[in-house]
Amino acid sequence: MATTTRMFCFVLVMVLMGCCCSAKIYKVGDSKGWTTAKHGSYYEWAKLKKFQVGDSLMFEYDGNINDVTQVSSPGHKLVVFVVHDHPMIPPPPPPRKILPLGKDYKVGDSNEWRVPEESDFYSKWSEEKQFHVGDNLLFYYNDQVDDLLEINSDLEFKSCDTTSPVAVHNAGQDLIRLTKPGIRYFITSKIGHCEAGLKLRVVVQPLSKSVPKKMQLSPFDRLINDIIRYLPYQILHLSIIAIVVIFMLVIHKFVLLDMSELDNKVLNTNIKQTGAKHGYPIVI
């Protein structure tokens, strides 16, 4: 008796580290689908494939006969081995506020980010530095042992409170940009590590304003600068003196002319009086 067969598609997404844009979808059994097959057929099918993280398995079967979680006949099973990730091209970073080129600080220097021998190690390390907006903090650590949490307050920092972090990092190599002035707090979520001193408090200063140093000039350069600086005033003074001198010369010239005319008049008057007194003829 023929029965209406309903086909179900069940997609098992095997995602371990996140889906990739180059991931593949494999239909189990290809054209045969997920049906009763001879022993070893699915083993041979899987053997020819190379499954990677991010790939998907699609099971196509009759829901009245089979399912995925429970095998209804002997040999009806599938074993899949997942190998390394697809090569991933990291996405471009999101646009950020343009900041000046600052310094890169490797947290802990050679000790990196791990439980220190002295509980105040990272406190001393931070106090020896002067952090400014635009600088970067580089955290290097074993991601199987530690991680990196940024928290909000000094109280959380002192009590190693990991319940409400601002950000969580666990890549093993993390770059933290200091984008604004203030205090930043970093700890680890691993039990006992923060209490043992694996925490960092960073005070970020505003942008430092560099004051150019005064150049040391040679005596000749200083002389030239003084001449250039005071030359307009000297020219003004000389111009005033020249005007005064010219004015005095003009006044002196007119005074001399007036005195000369006066002397001539006096002289003529004396001559006339002398001639008239002695009876000399006077020609005027």
mmCIF file of all heavy atoms in Angstrom, residues 133-157:
data_model
loop_
_atom_site.group_PDB
_atom_site.id
_atom_site.type_symbol
_atom_site.label_atom_id
_atom_site.label_comp_id
_atom_site.label_asym_id
_atom_site.label_seq_id
_atom_site.Cartn_x
_atom_site.Cartn_y
_atom_site.Cartn_z
ATOM 1 N N VAL A 133 46.013 59.962 26.405
ATOM 2 C CA VAL A 133 45.042 59.616 25.372
ATOM 3 C C VAL A 133 45.783 59.353 24.064
ATOM 4 O O VAL A 133 46.637 60.133 23.653
ATOM 5 C CB VAL A 133 44.022 60.758 25.193
ATOM 6 C CG1 VAL A 133 43.123 60.491 23.989
ATOM 7 C CG2 VAL A 133 43.192 60.924 26.457
ATOM 8 N N GLY A 134 45.447 58.241 23.421
ATOM 9 C CA GLY A 134 46.129 57.853 22.190
ATOM 10 C C GLY A 134 47.117 56.720 22.378
ATOM 11 O O GLY A 134 47.538 56.100 21.403
ATOM 12 N N ASP A 135 47.487 56.429 23.643
ATOM 13 C CA ASP A 135 48.383 55.301 23.919
ATOM 14 C C ASP A 135 47.622 53.982 23.825
ATOM 15 O O ASP A 135 46.387 53.950 23.839
ATOM 16 C CB ASP A 135 49.008 55.452 25.314
ATOM 17 C CG ASP A 135 49.967 56.639 25.394
ATOM 18 O OD1 ASP A 135 50.383 57.130 24.335
ATOM 19 O OD2 ASP A 135 50.283 57.061 26.521
ATOM 20 N N ASN A 136 48.374 52.898 23.739
ATOM 21 C CA ASN A 136 47.786 51.563 23.640
ATOM 22 C C ASN A 136 48.367 50.643 24.709
ATOM 23 O O ASN A 136 49.564 50.723 25.019
ATOM 24 C CB ASN A 136 48.047 50.948 22.262
ATOM 25 C CG ASN A 136 47.454 51.765 21.141
ATOM 26 O OD1 ASN A 136 46.310 52.177 21.220
ATOM 27 N ND2 ASN A 136 48.229 52.011 20.102
ATOM 28 N N LEU A 137 47.520 49.768 25.249
ATOM 29 C CA LEU A 137 47.959 48.727 26.171
ATOM 30 C C LEU A 137 47.920 47.393 25.442
ATOM 31 O O LEU A 137 46.902 47.031 24.831
ATOM 32 C CB LEU A 137 47.045 48.663 27.399
ATOM 33 C CG LEU A 137 46.968 49.907 28.283
ATOM 34 C CD1 LEU A 137 45.981 49.678 29.427
ATOM 35 C CD2 LEU A 137 48.334 50.268 28.833
ATOM 36 N N LEU A 138 49.032 46.658 25.491
ATOM 37 C CA LEU A 138 49.119 45.357 24.840
ATOM 38 C C LEU A 138 49.170 44.272 25.910
ATOM 39 O O LEU A 138 50.105 44.228 26.712
ATOM 40 C CB LEU A 138 50.363 45.285 23.946
ATOM 41 C CG LEU A 138 50.482 46.392 22.889
ATOM 42 C CD1 LEU A 138 51.803 46.270 22.147
ATOM 43 C CD2 LEU A 138 49.325 46.322 21.912
ATOM 44 N N PHE A 139 48.168 43.423 25.935
ATOM 45 C CA PHE A 139 48.089 42.329 26.899
ATOM 46 C C PHE A 139 48.445 41.015 26.194
ATOM 47 O O PHE A 139 47.801 40.635 25.222
ATOM 48 C CB PHE A 139 46.680 42.216 27.500
ATOM 49 C CG PHE A 139 46.311 43.338 28.429
ATOM 50 C CD1 PHE A 139 45.824 44.538 27.946
ATOM 51 C CD2 PHE A 139 46.447 43.184 29.810
ATOM 52 C CE1 PHE A 139 45.473 45.564 28.807
ATOM 53 C CE2 PHE A 139 46.099 44.206 30.679
ATOM 54 C CZ PHE A 139 45.615 45.401 30.175
ATOM 55 N N TYR A 140 49.484 40.349 26.694
ATOM 56 C CA TYR A 140 49.875 39.036 26.186
ATOM 57 C C TYR A 140 49.743 38.025 27.325
ATOM 58 O O TYR A 140 50.256 38.249 28.417
ATOM 59 C CB TYR A 140 51.320 39.048 25.682
ATOM 60 C CG TYR A 140 51.526 39.887 24.438
ATOM 61 C CD1 TYR A 140 51.885 41.232 24.537
ATOM 62 C CD2 TYR A 140 51.361 39.342 23.175
ATOM 63 C CE1 TYR A 140 52.071 42.003 23.400
ATOM 64 C CE2 TYR A 140 51.545 40.104 22.035
ATOM 65 C CZ TYR A 140 51.908 41.433 22.155
ATOM 66 O OH TYR A 140 52.088 42.203 21.032
ATOM 67 N N TYR A 141 49.060 36.905 27.045
ATOM 68 C CA TYR A 141 48.843 35.909 28.095
ATOM 69 C C TYR A 141 48.462 34.574 27.466
ATOM 70 O O TYR A 141 48.135 34.488 26.261
ATOM 71 C CB TYR A 141 47.757 36.377 29.064
ATOM 72 C CG TYR A 141 46.438 36.719 28.400
ATOM 73 C CD1 TYR A 141 45.432 35.768 28.276
ATOM 74 C CD2 TYR A 141 46.216 37.991 27.890
ATOM 75 C CE1 TYR A 141 44.226 36.076 27.660
ATOM 76 C CE2 TYR A 141 45.020 38.313 27.269
ATOM 77 C CZ TYR A 141 44.026 37.352 27.156
ATOM 78 O OH TYR A 141 42.837 37.659 26.546
ATOM 79 N N ASN A 142 48.485 33.557 28.277
ATOM 80 C CA ASN A 142 48.061 32.228 27.858
ATOM 81 C C ASN A 142 46.543 32.153 28.006
ATOM 82 O O ASN A 142 46.017 32.166 29.123
ATOM 83 C CB ASN A 142 48.745 31.160 28.716
ATOM 84 C CG ASN A 142 48.423 29.754 28.261
ATOM 85 O OD1 ASN A 142 47.513 29.528 27.470
ATOM 86 N ND2 ASN A 142 49.176 28.790 28.765
ATOM 87 N N ASP A 143 45.825 32.074 26.871
ATOM 88 C CA ASP A 143 44.367 32.108 26.936
ATOM 89 C C ASP A 143 43.762 30.845 27.544
ATOM 90 O O ASP A 143 42.557 30.807 27.812
ATOM 91 C CB ASP A 143 43.777 32.347 25.548
ATOM 92 C CG ASP A 143 44.195 31.278 24.548
ATOM 93 O OD1 ASP A 143 45.045 30.445 24.887
ATOM 94 O OD2 ASP A 143 43.662 31.283 23.426
ATOM 95 N N GLN A 144 44.586 29.811 27.756
ATOM 96 C CA GLN A 144 44.096 28.615 28.440
ATOM 97 C C GLN A 144 44.177 28.761 29.964
ATOM 98 O O GLN A 144 43.614 27.958 30.702
ATOM 99 C CB GLN A 144 44.914 27.391 28.009
ATOM 100 C CG GLN A 144 44.881 27.134 26.519
ATOM 101 C CD GLN A 144 43.489 26.829 26.005
ATOM 102 O OE1 GLN A 144 42.716 26.144 26.694
ATOM 103 N NE2 GLN A 144 43.146 27.321 24.823
ATOM 104 N N VAL A 145 44.907 29.783 30.398
ATOM 105 C CA VAL A 145 45.141 29.966 31.839
ATOM 106 C C VAL A 145 44.444 31.213 32.360
ATOM 107 O O VAL A 145 43.866 31.200 33.447
ATOM 108 C CB VAL A 145 46.653 30.035 32.136
ATOM 109 C CG1 VAL A 145 46.912 30.258 33.619
ATOM 110 C CG2 VAL A 145 47.347 28.768 31.652
ATOM 111 N N ASP A 146 44.505 32.295 31.590
ATOM 112 C CA ASP A 146 43.965 33.569 32.054
ATOM 113 C C ASP A 146 43.105 34.203 30.975
ATOM 114 O O ASP A 146 43.056 33.751 29.827
ATOM 115 C CB ASP A 146 45.103 34.519 32.440
ATOM 116 C CG ASP A 146 45.760 34.144 33.756
ATOM 117 O OD1 ASP A 146 45.045 34.031 34.757
ATOM 118 O OD2 ASP A 146 46.990 33.936 33.758
ATOM 119 N N ASP A 147 42.452 35.274 31.344
ATOM 120 C CA ASP A 147 41.707 36.098 30.417
ATOM 121 C C ASP A 147 41.812 37.550 30.873
ATOM 122 O O ASP A 147 42.579 37.859 31.797
ATOM 123 C CB ASP A 147 40.241 35.643 30.310
ATOM 124 C CG ASP A 147 39.532 35.650 31.663
ATOM 125 O OD1 ASP A 147 40.126 36.139 32.642
ATOM 126 O OD2 ASP A 147 38.394 35.152 31.744
ATOM 127 N N LEU A 148 41.058 38.436 30.235
ATOM 128 C CA LEU A 148 41.148 39.862 30.551
ATOM 129 C C LEU A 148 39.755 40.454 30.611
ATOM 130 O O LEU A 148 38.976 40.326 29.670
ATOM 131 C CB LEU A 148 41.979 40.587 29.486
ATOM 132 C CG LEU A 148 42.102 42.104 29.629
ATOM 133 C CD1 LEU A 148 42.866 42.462 30.888
ATOM 134 C CD2 LEU A 148 42.778 42.696 28.399
ATOM 135 N N LEU A 149 39.434 41.074 31.745
ATOM 136 C CA LEU A 149 38.148 41.742 31.945
ATOM 137 C C LEU A 149 38.399 43.208 32.278
ATOM 138 O O LEU A 149 39.306 43.534 33.053
ATOM 139 C CB LEU A 149 37.358 41.110 33.094
ATOM 140 C CG LEU A 149 36.445 39.915 32.776
ATOM 141 C CD1 LEU A 149 37.255 38.734 32.268
ATOM 142 C CD2 LEU A 149 35.632 39.542 33.992
ATOM 143 N N GLU A 150 37.606 44.081 31.668
ATOM 144 C CA GLU A 150 37.633 45.491 32.060
ATOM 145 C C GLU A 150 36.395 45.771 32.884
ATOM 146 O O GLU A 150 35.278 45.403 32.505
ATOM 147 C CB GLU A 150 37.677 46.405 30.841
ATOM 148 C CG GLU A 150 37.767 47.878 31.233
ATOM 149 C CD GLU A 150 38.002 48.803 30.061
ATOM 150 O OE1 GLU A 150 38.106 48.294 28.927
ATOM 151 O OE2 GLU A 150 38.077 50.019 30.280
ATOM 152 N N ILE A 151 36.587 46.429 34.018
ATOM 153 C CA ILE A 151 35.484 46.720 34.925
ATOM 154 C C ILE A 151 35.356 48.219 35.127
ATOM 155 O O ILE A 151 36.194 48.996 34.650
ATOM 156 C CB ILE A 151 35.670 45.995 36.276
ATOM 157 C CG1 ILE A 151 37.029 46.349 36.877
ATOM 158 C CG2 ILE A 151 35.544 44.496 36.090
ATOM 159 C CD1 ILE A 151 37.277 45.696 38.227
ATOM 160 N N ASN A 152 34.317 48.607 35.861
ATOM 161 C CA ASN A 152 33.943 50.016 35.932
ATOM 162 C C ASN A 152 34.534 50.798 37.089
ATOM 163 O O ASN A 152 34.989 51.925 36.920
ATOM 164 C CB ASN A 152 32.414 50.130 35.999
ATOM 165 C CG ASN A 152 31.824 50.563 34.687
ATOM 166 O OD1 ASN A 152 32.429 51.333 33.964
ATOM 167 N ND2 ASN A 152 30.651 50.041 34.357
ATOM 168 N N SER A 153 34.522 50.219 38.282
ATOM 169 C CA SER A 153 34.753 51.031 39.470
ATOM 170 C C SER A 153 35.940 50.536 40.291
ATOM 171 O O SER A 153 36.403 49.401 40.133
ATOM 172 C CB SER A 153 33.511 51.036 40.354
ATOM 173 O OG SER A 153 33.265 49.737 40.866
ATOM 174 N N ASP A 154 36.395 51.419 41.174
ATOM 175 C CA ASP A 154 37.487 51.071 42.073
ATOM 176 C C ASP A 154 37.047 50.013 43.086
ATOM 177 O O ASP A 154 37.854 49.190 43.510
ATOM 178 C CB ASP A 154 37.965 52.339 42.797
ATOM 179 C CG ASP A 154 39.248 52.123 43.573
ATOM 180 O OD1 ASP A 154 40.289 51.897 42.941
ATOM 181 O OD2 ASP A 154 39.191 52.160 44.818
ATOM 182 N N LEU A 155 35.768 50.038 43.463
ATOM 183 C CA LEU A 155 35.260 49.043 44.400
ATOM 184 C C LEU A 155 35.315 47.642 43.794
ATOM 185 O O LEU A 155 35.740 46.682 44.453
ATOM 186 C CB LEU A 155 33.822 49.395 44.798
ATOM 187 C CG LEU A 155 33.138 48.451 45.798
ATOM 188 C CD1 LEU A 155 33.920 48.418 47.112
ATOM 189 C CD2 LEU A 155 31.694 48.876 46.037
ATOM 190 N N GLU A 156 34.887 47.517 42.548
ATOM 191 C CA GLU A 156 34.984 46.227 41.858
ATOM 192 C C GLU A 156 36.431 45.785 41.714
ATOM 193 O O GLU A 156 36.745 44.596 41.795
ATOM 194 C CB GLU A 156 34.334 46.319 40.479
ATOM 195 C CG GLU A 156 32.835 46.524 40.508
ATOM 196 C CD GLU A 156 32.255 46.741 39.130
ATOM 197 O OE1 GLU A 156 32.947 47.365 38.294
ATOM 198 O OE2 GLU A 156 31.136 46.287 38.884
ATOM 199 N N PHE A 157 37.301 46.762 41.496
ATOM 200 C CA PHE A 157 38.725 46.456 41.336
ATOM 201 C C PHE A 157 39.307 45.894 42.633
ATOM 202 O O PHE A 157 40.041 44.895 42.621
ATOM 203 C CB PHE A 157 39.459 47.734 40.921
ATOM 204 C CG PHE A 157 40.940 47.562 40.727
ATOM 205 C CD1 PHE A 157 41.445 46.929 39.600
ATOM 206 C CD2 PHE A 157 41.833 48.037 41.679
ATOM 207 C CE1 PHE A 157 42.817 46.778 39.422
ATOM 208 C CE2 PHE A 157 43.191 47.894 41.503
ATOM 209 C CZ PHE A 157 43.690 47.270 40.379
#
